[in-house]
Amino acid sequence: MELSLQTWPKVEDYLKTKNTIIIPIGSTEQHGPTGLIGTDYITAQKIAIEVGEKTNTMVAPPLCFGMAFHHMDFPGTITLKPSTMMLVLLDMIESCYTHGFKKFMFINGHGGNINPTATAFCEWKTKDTDTTLQLENWWRLPEVQAYEKIHFGDENGFHATCGEVALTMHLEKEAFKTIPKTQFKIERPKYSMPMAPKEFRKTFFDGRMASNPGLATSEHGAKLFEIAVDTISKKVSEL
Amino acid sequence: MELSLQTWPKVEDYLKTKNTIIIPIGSTEQHGPTGLIGTDYITAQKIAIEVGEKTNTMVAPPLCFGMAFHHMDFPGTITLKPSTMMLVLLDMIESCYTHGFKKFMFINGHGGNINPTATAFCEWKTKDTDTTLQLENWWRLPEVQAYEKIHFGDENGFHATCGEVALTMHLEKEAFKTIPKTQFKIERPKYSMPMAPKEFRKTFFDGRMASNPGLATSEHGAKLFEIAVDTISKKVSEL
Amino acid sequence: MELSLQTWPKVEDYLKTKNTIIIPIGSTEQHGPTGLIGTDYITAQKIAIEVGEKTNTMVAPPLCFGMAFHHMDFPGTITLKPSTMMLVLLDMIESCYTHGFKKFMFINGHGGNINPTATAFCEWKTKDTDTTLQLENWWRLPEVQAYEKIHFGDENGFHATCGEVALTMHLEKEAFKTIPKTQFKIERPKYSMPMAPKEFRKTFFDGRMASNPGLATSEHGAKLFEIAVDTISKKVSEL
Amino acid sequence: MELSLQTWPKVEDYLKTKNTIIIPIGSTEQHGPTGLIGTDYITAQKIAIEVGEKTNTMVAPPLCFGMAFHHMDFPGTITLKPSTMMLVLLDMIESCYTHGFKKFMFINGHGGNINPTATAFCEWKTKDTDTTLQLENWWRLPEVQAYEKIHFGDENGFHATCGEVALTMHLEKEAFKTIPKTQFKIERPKYSMPMAPKEFRKTFFDGRMASNPGLATSEHGAKLFEIAVDTISKKVSEL
Amino acid sequence: MELSLQTWPKVEDYLKTKNTIIIPIGSTEQHGPTGLIGTDYITAQKIAIEVGEKTNTMVAPPLCFGMAFHHMDFPGTITLKPSTMMLVLLDMIESCYTHGFKKFMFINGHGGNINPTATAFCEWKTKDTDTTLQLENWWRLPEVQAYEKIHFGDENGFHATCGEVALTMHLEKEAFKTIPKTQFKIERPKYSMPMAPKEFRKTFFDGRMASNPGLATSEHGAKLFEIAVDTISKKVSEL
Amino acid sequence: MELSLQTWPKVEDYLKTKNTIIIPIGSTEQHGPTGLIGTDYITAQKIAIEVGEKTNTMVAPPLCFGMAFHHMDFPGTITLKPSTMMLVLLDMIESCYTHGFKKFMFINGHGGNINPTATAFCEWKTKDTDTTLQLENWWRLPEVQAYEKIHFGDENGFHATCGEVALTMHLEKEAFKTIPKTQFKIERPKYSMPMAPKEFRKTFFDGRMASNPGLATSEHGAKLFEIAVDTISKKVSEL
């Protein structure tokens, strides 16, 4: 049930019996030498649509841009200021709330979005409304992390991870045809978040954070997709 | 050349010889009883990707949300405040400009976006940069309007038009399978823009503005797509 | 009926039977080597006052400053940021609406104001009020353009036009006594709006945009004034 | 030397030897049953122009709108939010500073403007520029107050004062022809500033604050004008 | 009655019979070579607590940061932008008003806070609430100034004054043990406020403004404390 | 080394060899029937001062107000909007950075501050500076939680916890003399954060979140203080 493929009378009907909406949020940012720039919104959107199918829940179009300033020293990254991102989320929540949506499941594909999103939730809640705002970061689900631990171990890393590259290999097969498969050496420099653009590039010269995306395969991606969809579907049902 | 399907080293390469980026912007809003809520971003995005193919130009992910307050009395519409939309566009332009993009072609699918986008362009230009910012609204191209005039005449209307419904029938065939094909009577009430949510609904009770989307066909959509892509491709080449 | 020359009880009386207000908005910006810096607000204000006389409508004091960043490389220009101008207009509309004004006729003297004004109108309309907001740009009226075409032809230009210089020669005769009458050669460089300050000056070195204000006369100005006042008066009556 | 009546080359010449600009700021607000709504900007503007004449100093167009929320329960008042007024003043200062103006004399006609203007000055000064920002409130000049004390004594009041009504009688003779001359009883209710709109109206039912504008005459106005112009001219010369 | 040392049920009880709150606001800024950086909030807070004791009034925790940009060229100064300070004060007022506080006594220790605070009061008052907002600057009380005149005469100065250093010597005895007692020569350079950081340091090289804090003693401080507390306590009782 | 008790020359000296500053941030909010409203800033400030002593590090005055909207249905809570809090933190960081501070240790006493603080850090980092921004929430330190687990077990709870009440009993002995010692029954209602004011009060009627502060003692507080100070001191040394 993609909102973008509905007519308004169908949404009106939906709201007679349900009031949940799933909103995928991601980012447009570098994902290392072999990862896709759209990784974070593609994964969030595709998981969201599948969760929507399984749970018969309305799914909004994705917010393709997030808070990615720390990746700005790598070409192709497009970032929102944290304060801008908060305003966008507040407008989206307010629009949906006006129509009668009360339960919001945000499916997120990017770590940098967590703080501004949580802060936007707080700002919304100052209005004293009866809404439930939940944020699920697919790569942080214990079920997902357990799988990654077994299959990628210490080489999963923290950005341009085996997990997210695998997931996009499954979802965007075509795109990976022109990307040579490489194994990477892992370095573990000392750092503390948040990082500024130049700091990040100096510390993680090619954009990976302690990951070897060479371990990623489309098959792992298919499995991770299944796990993420199943786990979040259950959470949507319990909202 | 979808930016989201590139790696950052590929974007780095691209920027060695070119500095144009295409950015599709749309809206998530009602499009009458038989039009898709995602019409405006779907059309903008698909046209943008095809223009990118033909002109070998990088295409950003779509901004799926725009300025659609006047449609807020119809469920499913998600709108940004004009001031929020301006901030989003400014962040996007600034990000791309940081990487070396100098020529921006915004392909727009929604009339309500025109004023905030043009105002955001002005705000950006206060910085005295050497950028070219161009906005093309596909449905306003003379070539598109000429085709619509011949085939839909006075029944094309101003929102949920024959043209945009036809284009989405071509691009999202599956979605239209569950939408009954209907002919609509056209009314031409007096109004002046901009309109407030309740004003709009009172004036245009089912969301159409003087259009009979019953005239739309997938074949017309295919033709309109071709015209829009060809016309804008030429403009991109001339930037 | 200038608002500034009324007492509040007179305004209270006015509002018992009418709810229209005329608001002149202009700019303080260069108008070429022989045009007045105040051209845009002087013309808007004088037309507004005369329209107010003819239609018995209340006329607010002028907003003398507008969005004129592109002229900032010429001394004397004072500009508001687009976002500031929007806030000013919103405050003005809200004040008048609080008193019971429902119909707003903005008479505008400056092209750069159009986008921020239209965007401010959208932002106001998000409040779902029963207001009519109309923007009339005197120099874009077909009746005005027809007169200019006949008398100035291709030499009218786009900034520091024959039309606006003529109009100010009629309205501010004294000021022109110390300005030598000159004929200008017209150049037609390629450009696209919006322009940054330095871009504009580089393209249009003395501030004119393809105009020969040497054709302007006070007599033409008197005629243009009459045409603009008559045309807008009719529009005010039809609000 | 009104800026609005100059051409930009004349401003360029002026800036070769001088860097002072006079900026009149006022308000559009009720001034009791017999005072003009435009009093505060009319007086500021007319004093400014005359000071400009005497001191050969450039005078900007007036900011006709100020911080007048406390008068909003009287029809005809148009107010800016304090935060909006600050942004407007900052944009104006920045524009002038870009051209080379370094000394700013703000001539103010309205008490409610003092705090936001002083705060905007502080905000500007955070930029560490070499500007002098001076605010002169004509009605607070000791020379003006001395004259008022002698001629109006305790009946001058605090709003819609004898002084300001007299000054406008001198400057806008025509407007007073239709305003009956009345003597008012003075009440001195307890109050503390700032006041909210309803509070103000409840306390000062007809808009006057402890004044009897019936004492005002055009002759007093002429004298006050002379005093204010002379006093501020001296201050401009000493900048 | 310090708010921070109450439980919420005690505040609930308090609000059954009283609706006054005292809010101390200060600054963290240089106070010359021998004055404490915390001077302005320490004095405001300690006076506030004592006034609260004497009048049985609730006292909020201090806002330790204010508008101190002009002191930013001296290490240790922490300043808020004027616009930020306004937002903080508005949030604080709104919070208290929500609970039922209607009378606000702000006890201020820093001159730079006056304009933004007064402007924030205006902004709050646009909401048309029945609140009383009073600002008392302890060092401007005529009773305090009279004492200072007698004991410090012309050497009291305008910043890092004898009065404020004396007051802190009384309140923070320990801190002064490591500060050598020095007499200072007084200079009286020409200046006009507001000043930019570099301007200030250039004019007042060691941070004092025409003061000789060498005259300050803890005994004077004790006396000034008593005077300030007594005077403001009376004002609180009369709110 | 409290910044507020230094003179500016002492800060100048400090900055010659060190560039770390500790900033305590807290909140003014309800802490259940027996907890102090100032708990969160008192604990943060006192821990910060002691850490400063042990590590010879400069300690800024506390930000006594934080993001506490969810507690606004209990009288006495004073909250900043999340967006306001971000602006305050950014101004504070910018001020300190201007003077040469590069390492920031924020010691936080309130959970609601975490998201806006982390988001403000991101916003600051968009400037590409060489700063380290670290946030330590004393009650979340594993060392603290281990102690609480042993001594309070499941009755520690999530707000108005045994730990924080114990800590304030140690730090503010006097204040607890008038607070009757009570044992509370613990309820564990279902909830999800963030909560709106009314939601919170409805769910946690007396302000406690699953805690029995009756277990708190001053002795436990003394021990917790020692643990928190020791642990954070080590972190400061490692910055």
Side-chain angles (χ1 to χ4, degrees), chain C residues 3-4 6-8 10 28 37-38 41 61 65 72 74-75 77 79 81 84 88 91-92 95 99 178 201 206, chain D residues 4 6 8 10 28 33 35 37-38 41 61 65 72 74-75 77 79 81 84 88 91-92 95 99 178 201 206:
Chain C
L3 177 62
S4 63
Q6 311 299 315
T7 60
W8 71 259
K10 289 188 189 177
T28 295
I37 283 175
Y41 86 84
F65 309 99
M72 273 301 291
F74 295 89
T77 302
T79 185
K81 289 193 189 68
T84 305
V88 172
D91 283 2
M92 291 174 71
S95 296
H99 301 312
T178 59
R201 177 125 200 196
D206 67 358
Chain D
S4 63
Q6 311 297 315
W8 72 258
K10 289 189 188 175
T28 295
I37 282 174
Y41 87 84
F65 309 98
M72 273 300 291
F74 294 90
T77 301
T79 185
K81 290 197 188 64
T84 304
V88 172
D91 282 3
M92 292 175 70
S95 295
H99 300 312
T178 58
R201 178 126 201 195
D206 67 359

Side-chain angles (χ1 to χ4, degrees), chain A residues 3 8 11 92 95-96 99, chain B residues 27-31 37 68-79:
Chain A
L3 177 62
W8 71 257
V11 182
M92 291 174 71
S95 296
C96 295
H99 300 313
Chain B
S27 183
T28 295
E29 65 181 48
Q30 69 89 8
H31 273 77
I37 282 175
F69 257 100
H70 41 308
H71 297 302
M72 273 300 292
D73 227 27
F74 295 89
T77 301
I78 298 180
T79 185

Side-chain angles (χ1 to χ4, degrees), chain A residues 4 10 38 77 81 84 91 99, chain B residues 4 38 77 81 84 91 99 178:
Chain A
S4 64
K10 289 189 189 175
T77 302
K81 291 195 188 66
T84 304
D91 283 3
H99 300 313
Chain B
S4 64
T77 301
K81 289 195 189 66
T84 303
D91 283 4
H99 300 312
T178 59

Side-chain angles (χ1 to χ4, degrees), chain B residues 24-91:
Chain B
I25 58 176
S27 183
T28 295
E29 65 181 48
Q30 69 89 8
H31 273 77
T34 60
L36 305 184
I37 282 175
T39 298
D40 292 347
Y41 87 82
I42 292 167
T43 53
Q45 182 182 18
K46 294 286 170 67
I47 291 171
I49 291 173
E50 194 68 15
V51 169
E53 276 312 301
K54 288 192 67 152
T55 61
N56 218 21
T57 309
M58 198 64 81
V59 181
L63 178 60
C64 304
F65 308 99
M67 210 307 291
F69 257 100
H70 41 308
H71 297 302
M72 273 300 292
D73 227 27
F74 295 89
T77 301
I78 298 180
T79 185
L80 302 181
K81 289 195 189 66
S83 47
T84 303
M85 188 180 187
M86 286 169 57
L87 293 172
V88 173
L89 294 172
L90 287 165
D91 283 4

Side-chain angles (χ1 to χ4, degrees), chain F residues 145-230:
Chain F
Q145 295 192 330
Y147 183 93
E148 289 175 344
K149 177 119 209 168
I150 292 168
H151 295 279
F152 312 129
D154 272 2
E155 298 183 60
N156 192 49
F158 306 102
H159 184 69
T161 64
C162 304
E164 55 186 357
V165 172
L167 190 39
T168 44
M169 289 174 85
H170 169 61
L171 298 170
E172 298 284 353
K173 289 198 175 59
E174 198 63 30
F176 280 89
K177 289 196 175 152
T178 58
I179 301 175
K181 186 106 182 184
T182 327
Q183 299 298 320
F184 292 92
K185 273 226 315 254
I186 290 176
E187 283 162 276
R188 302 191 183 277
K190 232 190 106 190
Y191 68 97
S192 78
M193 294 298 272
M195 299 179 86
K198 290 206 193 80
E199 243 175 339
F200 188 98
R201 179 126 201 195
K202 209 173 140 188
T203 314
F204 302 107
F205 75 101
D206 68 358
R208 294 172 301 116
M209 292 174 77
S211 72
N212 173 13
L215 299 184
T217 66
S218 163
E219 292 69 31
H220 283 310
K223 193 65 194 147
L224 284 166
F225 186 66
E226 196 189 312
I227 296 171
V229 167
D230 285 354

